[in-house]
Amino acid sequence: HGKGAWSIGGNAATSFSNPYGEASYSISIDDVYSGEKEVAAAASSGAETNTKTTGVHTQGDTHFVTEWYVPKGTSQSGLTAYSDSLKPFNVAGGEDVSKNEGARGSAKAIGYAGNGFSQAGQDGNINTVRAFGQPFFVLQPLHG
């Protein structure tokens, strides 16, 4: 709140299952700016999705305040991803990045998990679940 401050945040998550494998994908992004003086801004997001053998949880949180022209704040992000299947190919991973610059902070977490009977099948399942949510994954951090 306050003149010149803004915040944006959002998240999305999708999961997919078929007889040949399963996959989950999640993204959380927050970006804030606390302005030049006596203002604050905050954003927080989180999403979780899972199938019988895969799961992903992402979260982001950032809070900034500018007092007497001196900005200070915190940004943090995190993710958990797992694939626990008897299928021969399993993968889980992602990235999380948080960044503070002046009166601006951002937090982003992207996670994925998938499995299949082949490398191509596993990758195909992950690409499929990501494509299901693509209209919702367009939110990108304004920097970084």
Side-chain angles (χ1 to χ4, degrees):
H1 67 277
K3 185 177 180 182
W6 54 261
S7 64
I8 185 171
N11 56 67
T14 60
S15 286
F16 169 79
S17 181
N18 69 27
Y20 307 104
E22 299 178 330
S24 298
Y25 191 90
S26 179
I27 183 170
S28 298
I29 296 176
D30 302 294
D31 200 12
V32 303
Y33 175 70
S34 65
E36 295 181 14
K37 63 177 185 173
E38 304 302 319
V39 292
S44 183
S45 64
E48 184 170 351
T49 184
N50 65 291
T51 67
K52 190 174 180 180
T53 62
T54 65
V56 179
H57 171 81
T58 56
Q59 65 186 39
D61 183 56
T62 185
H63 177 269
F64 264 75
V65 62
T66 301
E67 297 175 352
W68 301 101
Y69 300 95
V70 178
K72 56 185 170 183
T74 61
S75 297
Q76 59 186 5
S77 57
L79 73 95
T80 303
Y82 70 88
S83 181
D84 185 16
S85 167
L86 296 178
K87 293 176 183 67
F89 291 85
N90 288 271
V91 67
E95 66 174 309
D96 67 307
V97 178
S98 55
K99 185 174 172 179
N100 296 332
E101 293 179 323
R104 193 168 182 180
S106 64
K108 174 176 82 170
I110 299 172
Y112 60 88
N115 56 59
F117 289 106
S118 67
Q119 179 76 48
Q122 169 194 278
D123 295 346
N125 288 331
I126 292 171
N127 289 334
T128 297
V129 76
R130 188 169 191 272
F132 283 161
Q134 195 62 45
F136 303 101
F137 298 141
V138 297
L139 179 63
Q140 293 295 317
L142 300 176
H143 74 290

